[in-house]
Amino acid sequence: MKRDAQALASLAPPNLAVGRHLIADLSGCPASCLADPDLIAAAMLAAARAGHAQVLQQHFHHFGPAQGVTGMLLLMESHISIHTWPEHGYAAVDLFMCGAANAAAALAVLQVQLQASTVREQVIMRGC
Amino acid sequence: MKRDAQALASLAPPNLAVGRHLIADLSGCPASCLADPDLIAAAMLAAARAGHAQVLQQHFHHFGPAQGVTGMLLLMESHISIHTWPEHGYAAVDLFMCGAANAAAALAVLQVQLQASTVREQVIMRGC
């Protein structure tokens, strides 16, 4: 699996950091995974568990047969979102987690369950 | 209003861009705004309208009196999320919009309605 990870240095870090925001582009995923709302929902919930995050709400929307899924978990620790483009084998994910939750562990689960061959990721420290 | 805007250059842009992801840190907001779930929900919906985005689902969670609000709009065009820390006058916002939706117009509404004195923003081109 190819990983293209780099911390963002374009803006100075905040004086007061409240959490880490992990932005991830997953490519090379089978279209059948990315067009399956049940698989996406299960993968997202497994990711939250792996990250030790507590789910408050969940919503997933399927745009139609063989089309993409858009969804989110609202967490006690902030959120995880996903938007998929089966026609490009691509999923856009972001994981914003505060406290002791582990966004990297959550992303690792999504990489495996969506069978991504390439992941581009960036971490942004959020705060003021 | 102070704005600290800078395009991210730390990762090469994707070959195929599917949308723009606007990450914004809003500071100097009155605590009373950031602890008011009705105000936050109304501001988020007004932001979506300003950005010409179609709302699929909405969820807002209030952590308690004088405490923060966490919420998300799931959009046809992707999502807008918000997480607030009244004790720091701070709101973390991200707006991921595809197609013709206008994330900057949506953010401008949030800046006004949350009475932010400072906004740090970054744009990430999403895709593969």
Side-chain angles (χ1 to χ4, degrees):
Chain A
M1 180 180 295
K2 182 181 167 196
R3 291 174 66 101
D4 181 5
Q6 188 169 355
L8 292 179
S10 60
L11 283 183
N15 294 317
L16 174 71
V18 300
R20 293 164 60 86
H21 199 161
L22 178 51
I23 309 291
D25 295 312
L26 282 63
S27 301
C29 309
S32 57
C33 289
L34 300 184
D36 183 337
D38 294 335
L39 184 152
I40 298 285
M44 290 276 280
L45 291 167
R49 284 194 297 275
H52 302 290
Q54 181 181 339
V55 177
L56 296 171
Q57 296 283 351
Q58 56 179 295
H59 268 296
F60 296 93
H61 177 82
H62 191 197
F63 289 99
Q67 295 192 45
V69 175
T70 195
M72 64 93 180
L73 302 180
L74 205 61
L75 307 174
M76 280 292 291
E77 299 82 4
S78 293
H79 74 260
I80 309 176
S81 78
I82 189 167
H83 310 287
T84 76
W85 282 260
E87 66 274 30
H88 301 310
Y90 169 68
V93 171
D94 78 299
L95 309 99
F96 184 4
M97 291 192 179
C98 307
N102 186 336
L107 176 59
V109 167
L110 289 173
Q111 292 173 21
V112 169
Q113 300 219 0
L114 301 184
Q115 301 178 45
S117 60
T118 304
V119 178
R120 280 161 50 101
E121 55 185 274
Q122 309 179 1
V123 176
I124 304 175
M125 295 306 298
R126 303 298 303 270
C128 52
Chain B
M1 182 182 293
K2 181 182 168 194
R3 292 173 66 101
D4 182 3
Q6 187 168 357
L8 292 179
S10 60
L11 283 184
N15 293 318
L16 173 71
V18 299
R20 292 164 60 87
H21 200 161
L22 178 51
I23 309 289
D25 295 312
L26 281 63
S27 301
C29 309
S32 58
C33 289
L34 299 184
D36 183 337
D38 294 334
L39 184 153
I40 298 285
M44 290 276 280
L45 291 167
R49 283 193 298 275
H52 301 289
Q54 182 181 340
V55 177
L56 296 170
Q57 296 282 352
Q58 56 179 293
H59 269 297
F60 295 94
H61 178 82
H62 191 198
F63 289 100
Q67 295 192 46
V69 175
T70 196
M72 187 172 278
L73 301 181
L74 205 62
L75 307 174
M76 278 294 290
E77 299 81 5
S78 291
H79 74 259
I80 308 175
S81 78
I82 190 166
H83 310 288
T84 76
W85 282 260
E87 66 274 31
H88 302 309
Y90 170 69
V93 172
D94 78 299
L95 309 99
F96 184 5
M97 291 192 181
C98 307
N102 187 335
L107 176 59
V109 168
L110 289 173
Q111 293 173 20
V112 170
Q113 299 219 1
L114 301 183
Q115 301 177 44
S117 61
T118 303
V119 178
R120 280 162 50 100
E121 56 186 275
Q122 310 179 1
V123 175
I124 303 174
M125 294 307 296
R126 303 297 302 272
C128 52

Coordinates of all heavy atoms in Angstrom, one line a residue, chain A residues 25-111:
Chain A
D25 N -7.2 10.9 1.3 CA -7.7 10.5 -0.1 C -7.4 9.0 -0.3 O -6.2 8.7 -0.4 CB -7.1 11.4 -1.1 CG -7.5 12.9 -1.0 OD1 -8.7 13.1 -0.8 OD2 -6.6 13.7 -1.0
L26 N -8.4 8.2 -0.4 CA -8.2 6.8 -0.6 C -8.4 6.4 -2.1 O -9.6 6.7 -2.6 CB -9.1 5.9 0.3 CG -8.7 5.8 1.7 CD1 -8.7 7.1 2.5 CD2 -9.6 4.8 2.5
S27 N -7.5 5.8 -2.8 CA -7.6 5.5 -4.2 C -7.4 4.0 -4.4 O -6.8 3.3 -3.6 CB -6.6 6.3 -5.0 OG -6.8 7.7 -4.8
G28 N -7.8 3.6 -5.6 CA -7.6 2.2 -6.0 C -8.6 1.3 -5.3 O -8.3 0.1 -5.2
C29 N -9.7 1.8 -4.8 CA -10.7 1.0 -4.1 C -11.6 0.3 -5.2 O -12.0 1.0 -6.2 CB -11.5 1.8 -3.2 SG -10.6 2.9 -2.1
P30 N -12.0 -0.9 -5.0 CA -12.9 -1.6 -5.9 C -14.3 -0.8 -5.9 O -14.8 -0.4 -4.8 CB -13.2 -2.9 -5.3 CG -12.0 -3.2 -4.4 CD -11.6 -1.9 -3.9
A31 N -14.8 -0.6 -7.1 CA -16.1 0.2 -7.2 C -17.2 -0.5 -6.4 O -18.0 0.2 -5.9 CB -16.4 0.3 -8.7
S32 N -17.1 -1.8 -6.4 CA -18.2 -2.5 -5.7 C -18.2 -2.2 -4.2 O -19.3 -2.2 -3.6 CB -18.0 -4.1 -5.8 OG -16.7 -4.4 -5.4
C33 N -17.0 -1.9 -3.6 CA -17.0 -1.5 -2.2 C -17.6 -0.1 -2.0 O -18.4 0.2 -1.1 CB -15.5 -1.4 -1.7 SG -14.8 -3.0 -1.4
L34 N -17.2 0.8 -2.9 CA -17.5 2.2 -2.8 C -19.0 2.5 -3.1 O -19.5 3.6 -2.8 CB -16.6 3.1 -3.7 CG -15.1 3.0 -3.4 CD1 -14.4 3.9 -4.2 CD2 -14.8 3.2 -1.9
A35 N -19.7 1.5 -3.7 CA -21.1 1.7 -4.1 C -22.0 0.9 -3.1 O -23.2 0.7 -3.4 CB -21.3 1.3 -5.5
D36 N -21.4 0.4 -2.1 CA -22.2 -0.5 -1.1 C -22.4 0.2 0.2 O -21.5 0.3 1.0 CB -21.4 -1.8 -0.9 CG -22.1 -2.8 0.0 OD1 -23.0 -2.3 0.8 OD2 -21.8 -4.0 -0.1
P37 N -23.6 0.8 0.4 CA -23.8 1.6 1.6 C -23.7 0.8 2.9 O -23.2 1.3 3.9 CB -25.2 2.2 1.4 CG -25.9 1.3 0.4 CD -24.8 0.7 -0.5
D38 N -24.0 -0.5 2.9 CA -23.9 -1.3 4.1 C -22.4 -1.5 4.4 O -22.0 -1.5 5.6 CB -24.6 -2.6 3.9 CG -26.1 -2.4 3.8 OD1 -26.7 -1.4 4.2 OD2 -26.8 -3.3 3.1
L39 N -21.6 -1.8 3.4 CA -20.2 -2.0 3.6 C -19.6 -0.7 4.2 O -18.8 -0.7 5.1 CB -19.5 -2.5 2.3 CG -18.0 -2.8 2.4 CD1 -17.7 -3.8 1.3 CD2 -17.1 -1.6 2.2
I40 N -20.0 0.4 3.6 CA -19.4 1.7 4.0 C -19.8 2.0 5.4 O -18.9 2.4 6.3 CB -19.9 2.8 3.1 CG1 -19.5 2.6 1.6 CG2 -19.5 4.2 3.6 CD1 -18.0 2.9 1.3
A41 N -21.0 1.8 5.8 CA -21.5 2.0 7.2 C -20.7 1.1 8.1 O -20.3 1.6 9.2 CB -23.0 1.9 7.3
A42 N -20.6 -0.1 7.8 CA -19.9 -1.1 8.7 C -18.5 -0.7 8.9 O -17.9 -0.7 10.0 CB -20.1 -2.5 8.2
A43 N -17.8 -0.3 7.8 CA -16.4 0.1 7.8 C -16.2 1.4 8.7 O -15.3 1.5 9.5 CB -15.9 0.4 6.4
M44 N -17.2 2.3 8.5 CA -17.1 3.6 9.3 C -17.2 3.3 10.8 O -16.5 3.8 11.7 CB -18.1 4.6 8.8 CG -17.8 5.1 7.5 SD -16.7 6.5 7.5 CE -17.9 7.8 8.0
L45 N -18.2 2.4 11.1 CA -18.4 2.1 12.6 C -17.2 1.3 13.1 O -16.8 1.5 14.3 CB -19.7 1.3 12.7 CG -21.0 2.2 12.4 CD1 -22.2 1.3 12.3 CD2 -21.2 3.2 13.5
A46 N -16.7 0.4 12.3 CA -15.5 -0.3 12.8 C -14.3 0.7 13.0 O -13.5 0.5 13.9 CB -15.1 -1.4 11.7
A47 N -14.2 1.7 12.1 CA -13.1 2.7 12.2 C -13.3 3.5 13.5 O -12.3 3.7 14.2 CB -13.2 3.6 11.0
A48 N -14.5 3.8 13.8 CA -14.7 4.6 15.1 C -14.4 3.8 16.3 O -13.7 4.3 17.2 CB -16.2 5.0 15.2
R49 N -14.7 2.5 16.2 CA -14.4 1.6 17.4 C -12.8 1.5 17.5 O -12.3 1.6 18.6 CB -14.9 0.2 17.2 CG -16.4 0.1 17.5 CD -16.9 -1.4 17.6 NE -16.7 -2.1 16.3 CZ -17.6 -2.1 15.3 NH1 -18.7 -1.5 15.4 NH2 -17.3 -2.8 14.2
A50 N -12.2 1.3 16.3 CA -10.7 1.2 16.4 C -10.0 2.5 16.9 O -9.0 2.4 17.5 CB -10.2 0.9 15.0
G51 N -10.7 3.6 16.6 CA -10.2 4.9 17.1 C -10.6 5.2 18.5 O -10.3 6.3 19.0
H52 N -11.3 4.3 19.2 CA -11.8 4.6 20.5 C -12.7 5.8 20.6 O -12.6 6.6 21.5 CB -10.7 4.6 21.5 CG -9.8 3.4 21.6 ND1 -10.3 2.2 22.1 CD2 -8.6 3.2 21.1 CE1 -9.4 1.3 21.9 NE2 -8.3 1.8 21.3
A53 N -13.5 6.0 19.6 CA -14.4 7.1 19.5 C -15.9 6.7 19.8 O -16.2 5.6 19.4 CB -14.3 7.8 18.1
Q54 N -16.6 7.6 20.3 CA -18.0 7.3 20.7 C -19.0 7.9 19.7 O -19.0 9.2 19.5 CB -18.3 7.8 22.1 CG -19.7 7.5 22.6 CD -20.0 8.0 24.0 OE1 -19.1 8.3 24.8 NE2 -21.3 8.2 24.3
V55 N -19.8 7.1 19.1 CA -20.7 7.6 18.0 C -22.0 8.2 18.6 O -22.6 7.5 19.4 CB -21.1 6.5 17.0 CG1 -22.1 7.0 16.0 CG2 -19.8 5.9 16.4
L56 N -22.3 9.4 18.2 CA -23.5 10.1 18.7 C -24.6 9.9 17.6 O -25.8 9.7 18.0 CB -23.3 11.6 18.8 CG -22.3 12.1 19.9 CD1 -22.0 13.6 19.7 CD2 -22.9 11.8 21.3
Q57 N -24.3 10.0 16.4 CA -25.3 9.9 15.3 C -24.6 9.4 14.1 O -23.4 9.6 13.9 CB -25.8 11.3 14.9 CG -26.6 12.0 16.0 CD -28.0 11.5 16.2 OE1 -28.5 10.6 15.3 NE2 -28.7 11.9 17.2
Q58 N -25.3 8.7 13.2 CA -24.8 8.3 11.9 C -25.8 8.5 10.8 O -27.0 8.4 11.0 CB -24.4 6.8 12.0 CG -25.5 5.9 12.4 CD -25.1 4.4 12.4 OE1 -24.8 3.8 11.4 NE2 -25.1 3.9 13.6
H59 N -25.3 8.9 9.7 CA -26.1 9.0 8.5 C -25.4 8.6 7.2 O -24.2 9.0 7.1 CB -26.7 10.4 8.3 CG -28.0 10.6 9.0 ND1 -29.1 10.0 8.6 CD2 -28.3 11.4 10.0 CE1 -30.1 10.3 9.4 NE2 -29.7 11.2 10.3
F60 N -26.0 7.8 6.4 CA -25.4 7.4 5.1 C -26.4 7.6 4.0 O -27.6 7.2 4.2 CB -24.9 6.0 5.2 CG -23.8 5.8 6.2 CD1 -24.1 5.4 7.5 CD2 -22.5 6.0 5.9 CE1 -23.1 5.3 8.5 CE2 -21.5 5.9 6.8 CZ -21.8 5.6 8.1
H61 N -26.0 8.1 2.9 CA -26.9 8.4 1.8 C -26.3 7.7 0.6 O -25.1 7.9 0.2 CB -27.1 9.9 1.5 CG -27.9 10.2 0.3 ND1 -29.3 10.2 0.4 CD2 -27.6 10.5 -0.9 CE1 -29.8 10.5 -0.8 NE2 -28.8 10.7 -1.6
H62 N -27.1 6.9 -0.1 CA -26.6 6.2 -1.3 C -27.3 6.9 -2.5 O -28.5 7.0 -2.6 CB -27.0 4.7 -1.3 CG -26.4 3.9 -2.3 ND1 -26.9 2.7 -2.7 CD2 -25.3 4.1 -3.1 CE1 -26.1 2.2 -3.7 NE2 -25.2 3.0 -3.9
F63 N -26.5 7.3 -3.5 CA -27.0 8.0 -4.6 C -27.7 7.2 -5.7 O -28.3 7.7 -6.6 CB -25.9 8.9 -5.2 CG -25.5 10.1 -4.3 CD1 -24.4 10.0 -3.5 CD2 -26.2 11.2 -4.3 CE1 -24.0 11.0 -2.7 CE2 -25.9 12.3 -3.5 CZ -24.8 12.2 -2.7
G64 N -27.6 5.8 -5.5 CA -28.3 4.9 -6.4 C -27.4 3.8 -6.8 O -26.2 3.7 -6.4
P65 N -28.0 2.7 -7.4 CA -27.2 1.5 -7.8 C -25.9 1.9 -8.5 O -26.0 2.7 -9.5 CB -28.2 0.8 -8.7 CG -29.5 1.2 -8.3 CD -29.4 2.7 -7.9
A66 N -24.8 1.3 -8.1 CA -23.5 1.5 -8.7 C -23.0 2.9 -8.5 O -21.9 3.3 -9.1 CB -23.4 1.1 -10.1
Q67 N -23.7 3.7 -7.7 CA -23.3 5.1 -7.5 C -22.6 5.3 -6.1 O -22.6 4.3 -5.3 CB -24.4 6.1 -7.7 CG -24.9 6.1 -9.1 CD -25.9 7.2 -9.4 OE1 -25.6 8.4 -9.0 NE2 -27.0 6.9 -10.1
G68 N -22.2 6.4 -5.8 CA -21.5 6.7 -4.6 C -22.3 6.7 -3.3 O -23.5 6.7 -3.4
V69 N -21.6 6.8 -2.2 CA -22.2 6.9 -0.9 C -21.6 8.1 -0.2 O -20.4 8.3 -0.3 CB -21.9 5.6 -0.1 CG1 -22.4 5.7 1.4 CG2 -22.5 4.4 -0.7
T70 N -22.4 8.8 0.5 CA -21.9 9.9 1.3 C -22.4 9.7 2.7 O -23.6 9.3 2.9 CB -22.4 11.3 0.7 OG1 -21.6 12.3 1.3 CG2 -23.8 11.6 0.9
G71 N -21.5 9.9 3.7 CA -22.0 9.6 5.0 C -21.1 10.2 6.1 O -20.0 10.7 5.8
M72 N -21.6 10.2 7.3 CA -20.9 10.7 8.4 C -21.2 10.1 9.7 O -22.4 9.6 9.9 CB -21.0 12.2 8.5 CG -22.5 12.7 8.8 SD -22.7 12.9 10.5 CE -24.4 13.4 10.6
L73 N -20.3 10.1 10.6 CA -20.5 9.7 12.0 C -20.2 11.0 12.8 O -19.1 11.6 12.7 CB -19.5 8.6 12.5 CG -19.6 7.3 11.8 CD1 -18.5 6.4 12.4 CD2 -20.9 6.7 11.8
L74 N -21.2 11.4 13.6 CA -21.0 12.5 14.5 C -20.5 11.9 15.8 O -21.1 10.9 16.3 CB -22.3 13.3 14.7 CG -22.2 14.7 15.2 CD1 -21.5 15.6 14.1 CD2 -23.6 15.3 15.4
L75 N -19.4 12.3 16.3 CA -18.7 11.7 17.5 C -18.7 12.6 18.7 O -18.7 13.8 18.5 CB -17.3 11.3 17.1 CG -17.0 10.5 15.8 CD1 -15.5 10.4 15.6 CD2 -17.6 9.1 15.9
M76 N -18.6 12.0 19.8 CA -18.3 12.8 21.0 C -17.0 13.5 20.8 O -16.8 14.6 21.3 CB -18.1 11.9 22.2 CG -19.4 11.4 22.9 SD -20.3 12.7 23.7 CE -19.2 13.1 25.1
E77 N -16.1 12.9 20.0 CA -14.8 13.5 19.8 C -14.7 14.3 18.5 O -13.6 14.7 18.1 CB -13.8 12.3 19.7 CG -13.7 11.5 21.0 CD -14.8 10.5 21.1 OE1 -15.6 10.3 20.2 OE2 -14.8 9.8 22.2
S78 N -15.8 14.6 17.8 CA -16.0 15.4 16.6 C -16.6 14.6 15.5 O -17.8 14.4 15.6 CB -14.7 16.1 16.2 OG -14.4 17.1 17.2
H79 N -15.9 14.2 14.4 CA -16.6 13.5 13.4 C -15.7 12.6 12.5 O -14.5 12.9 12.5 CB -17.4 14.4 12.5 CG -16.6 15.3 11.6 ND1 -16.2 16.6 11.8 CD2 -16.0 15.0 10.4 CE1 -15.5 17.1 10.8 NE2 -15.4 16.1 9.9
I80 N -16.3 11.7 11.7 CA -15.7 11.1 10.6 C -16.6 11.2 9.4 O -17.8 11.0 9.6 CB -15.4 9.6 10.8 CG1 -14.6 9.3 12.1 CG2 -14.6 9.0 9.6 CD1 -14.4 7.8 12.4
S81 N -16.2 11.7 8.3 CA -17.0 11.7 7.1 C -16.4 10.9 6.0 O -15.2 10.7 5.9 CB -17.2 13.2 6.6 OG -16.0 13.6 5.9
I82 N -17.3 10.5 5.0 CA -16.8 9.8 3.8 C -17.7 10.2 2.6 O -18.9 10.4 2.8 CB -16.8 8.3 4.0 CG1 -16.1 7.6 2.9 CG2 -18.2 7.7 4.2 CD1 -15.8 6.1 3.2
H83 N -17.1 10.3 1.5 CA -17.8 10.5 0.2 C -17.1 9.7 -0.8 O -15.8 9.8 -0.9 CB -17.8 12.0 -0.2 CG -18.2 12.9 1.0 ND1 -19.5 13.1 1.4 CD2 -17.4 13.7 1.8 CE1 -19.5 13.9 2.4 NE2 -18.3 14.3 2.7
T84 N -17.8 8.9 -1.5 CA -17.2 7.9 -2.5 C -17.6 8.2 -3.9 O -18.7 8.6 -4.2 CB -17.5 6.5 -2.1 OG1 -18.8 6.1 -2.5 CG2 -17.3 6.2 -0.6
W85 N -16.6 7.9 -4.8 CA -16.8 8.0 -6.3 C -16.4 6.6 -6.8 O -15.2 6.4 -7.2 CB -15.9 9.1 -6.8 CG -16.4 10.5 -6.7 CD1 -17.1 11.2 -7.6 CD2 -16.3 11.3 -5.5 NE1 -17.4 12.5 -7.1 CE2 -17.0 12.6 -5.8 CE3 -15.8 11.1 -4.2 CZ2 -17.0 13.6 -4.9 CZ3 -15.9 12.2 -3.3 CH2 -16.5 13.4 -3.6
P86 N -17.3 5.7 -6.9 CA -17.0 4.3 -7.4 C -16.3 4.4 -8.8 O -15.5 3.6 -9.1 CB -18.3 3.6 -7.5 CG -19.2 4.3 -6.5 CD -18.7 5.8 -6.5
E87 N -16.8 5.3 -9.6 CA -16.3 5.4 -11.0 C -14.8 5.8 -11.1 O -14.2 5.5 -12.1 CB -17.1 6.4 -11.8 CG -17.0 7.8 -11.4 CD -18.0 8.3 -10.3 OE1 -18.3 7.4 -9.5 OE2 -18.4 9.4 -10.3
H88 N -14.3 6.3 -10.0 CA -12.9 6.7 -9.9 C -12.1 5.8 -8.9 O -10.9 6.1 -8.7 CB -12.7 8.2 -9.5 CG -13.4 9.1 -10.5 ND1 -13.2 9.1 -11.8 CD2 -14.2 10.1 -10.3 CE1 -13.9 10.0 -12.4 NE2 -14.5 10.7 -11.5
G89 N -12.8 4.9 -8.3 CA -12.1 4.1 -7.2 C -11.7 4.9 -6.1 O -10.7 4.6 -5.4
Y90 N -12.3 6.0 -5.8 CA -11.8 7.0 -4.9 C -12.8 7.3 -3.7 O -14.1 7.4 -4.0 CB -11.6 8.3 -5.7 CG -11.3 9.5 -4.8 CD1 -10.2 9.6 -4.0 CD2 -12.3 10.6 -4.7 CE1 -9.9 10.7 -3.2 CE2 -12.0 11.7 -3.9 CZ -10.9 11.8 -3.2 OH -10.7 12.8 -2.4
A91 N -12.3 7.5 -2.5 CA -13.1 7.9 -1.4 C -12.4 9.0 -0.7 O -11.2 9.0 -0.4 CB -13.2 6.7 -0.4
A92 N -13.1 10.1 -0.4 CA -12.6 11.2 0.4 C -13.1 11.0 1.8 O -14.2 10.9 2.1 CB -13.2 12.5 -0.2
V93 N -12.1 11.0 2.7 CA -12.4 10.8 4.1 C -11.8 11.9 4.9 O -10.7 12.4 4.6 CB -11.7 9.4 4.6 CG1 -11.8 9.2 6.1 CG2 -12.4 8.3 3.8
D94 N -12.5 12.4 6.0 CA -11.8 13.2 7.0 C -12.2 12.7 8.4 O -13.4 12.3 8.6 CB -12.0 14.7 6.8 CG -13.4 15.2 7.2 OD1 -14.4 14.8 6.7 OD2 -13.4 16.1 8.1
L95 N -11.3 12.8 9.2 CA -11.4 12.3 10.6 C -10.9 13.4 11.5 O -9.7 13.7 11.6 CB -10.6 11.0 10.9 CG -10.8 9.9 9.8 CD1 -9.7 9.9 8.8 CD2 -10.8 8.5 10.5
F96 N -11.9 14.0 12.2 CA -11.5 15.1 13.2 C -11.7 14.5 14.6 O -12.9 14.1 14.9 CB -12.4 16.3 13.0 CG -12.1 17.5 13.8 CD1 -11.0 17.5 14.7 CD2 -12.9 18.6 13.7 CE1 -10.7 18.7 15.4 CE2 -12.6 19.8 14.5 CZ -11.5 19.8 15.3
M97 N -10.7 14.4 15.3 CA -10.8 13.7 16.6 C -10.1 14.5 17.7 O -8.9 14.9 17.5 CB -10.3 12.3 16.6 CG -11.2 11.4 15.7 SD -10.7 9.7 16.0 CE -11.9 8.8 14.9
C98 N -10.8 14.7 18.8 CA -10.2 15.4 20.0 C -9.9 14.4 21.1 O -10.3 13.2 21.0 CB -11.2 16.4 20.5 SG -11.8 17.5 19.2
G99 N -9.2 14.9 22.1 CA -8.9 14.0 23.2 C -8.1 12.8 22.9 O -7.2 12.9 22.0
A100 N -8.4 11.7 23.5 CA -7.5 10.5 23.3 C -7.9 9.6 22.1 O -7.3 8.6 21.9 CB -7.6 9.6 24.6
A101 N -8.9 10.0 21.4 CA -9.3 9.2 20.2 C -8.2 9.2 19.2 O -7.4 10.1 19.1 CB -10.6 9.8 19.6
N102 N -8.1 8.1 18.4 CA -7.0 7.8 17.6 C -7.4 7.8 16.1 O -7.9 6.8 15.6 CB -6.3 6.5 18.0 CG -5.0 6.2 17.3 OD1 -4.8 6.7 16.2 ND2 -4.2 5.4 17.9
A103 N -7.3 8.9 15.4 CA -7.7 9.0 14.0 C -6.9 8.1 13.1 O -7.4 7.5 12.2 CB -7.6 10.5 13.5
A104 N -5.6 7.9 13.4 CA -4.8 7.1 12.5 C -5.3 5.6 12.6 O -5.3 4.9 11.5 CB -3.3 7.2 12.9
A105 N -5.6 5.2 13.8 CA -6.1 3.8 13.9 C -7.4 3.6 13.1 O -7.7 2.6 12.5 CB -6.3 3.5 15.4
A106 N -8.3 4.7 13.2 CA -9.5 4.6 12.5 C -9.3 4.6 11.0 O -9.9 3.8 10.3 CB -10.4 5.8 12.9
L107 N -8.4 5.4 10.5 CA -8.1 5.5 9.1 C -7.6 4.1 8.6 O -7.9 3.7 7.5 CB -7.1 6.6 8.8 CG -6.7 6.7 7.3 CD1 -7.9 6.9 6.4 CD2 -5.7 7.8 7.1
A108 N -6.7 3.5 9.4 CA -6.2 2.2 9.0 C -7.3 1.2 8.7 O -7.1 0.4 7.8 CB -5.2 1.7 10.1
V109 N -8.3 1.2 9.5 CA -9.4 0.3 9.3 C -10.1 0.6 8.0 O -10.5 -0.3 7.2 CB -10.4 0.4 10.5 CG1 -11.7 -0.3 10.1 CG2 -9.8 -0.2 11.7
L110 N -10.3 1.9 7.7 CA -11.0 2.2 6.4 C -10.1 1.8 5.2 O -10.6 1.3 4.2 CB -11.3 3.7 6.4 CG -12.4 4.2 7.3 CD1 -12.4 5.7 7.4 CD2 -13.7 3.6 6.9
Q111 N -8.8 2.0 5.3 CA -7.9 1.6 4.2 C -8.1 0.1 3.9 O -8.2 -0.3 2.8 CB -6.5 1.8 4.6 CG -6.1 3.3 4.8 CD -4.7 3.4 5.3 OE1 -3.8 2.5 5.2 NE2 -4.4 4.6 5.9

